[in-house]
Amino acid sequence: MSENGKLSRRRFLGTALAAAALVPVAGRGLMATAHAGELAKVTEDDPTAVALGYVHDATKVDTAKFPKRAGDAGASQFCHNCSLYQAAEGEEWGKCSIFPGKLVKGAGWCNAWVAKG
Ligand code: SF4
């Protein structure tokens, strides 16, 4: 084998080994994405969230701006007791049809809150 042939073979083996070493790392990344989930958590600066006054912590709602959550009746409103909220038992975050493809926090609130029927 010529000197060039040896170098090419060495270079190929080095590249193949480096690629093989990366496979488990890439695989773990994909698995983490698949497990953790499916959906991203909505952010409070999401345009729909801003428009509806959504916050992750319902006790932080600006009740001057969103009086629906003022007073005793308002203080009992949370995503987890809204009719649009869907989460598995014990889950801290759930789906809401107002934010398709995203998760809202059970302790959160927005102005579209509707009592569970
Ligand atoms: Fe939370 Fe209900 Fe508003 Fe959805 S509609 S963000 S579940 S309060």
Side-chain angles (χ1 to χ4, degrees), residues 42 52 54-55 77-86 94-99 104-106 108-114:
V42 69
L52 292 173
Y54 171 84
V55 286
Q77 299 173 7
F78 295 91
C79 289
H80 65 74
N81 61 15
C82 171
S83 68
L84 303 182
Y85 187 71
Q86 300 169 29
K95 295 177 188 173
C96 166
S97 52
I98 298 289
F99 297 98
V104 297
K105 194 167 186 176
W109 180 92
C110 90
N111 205 35
W113 183 88
V114 182

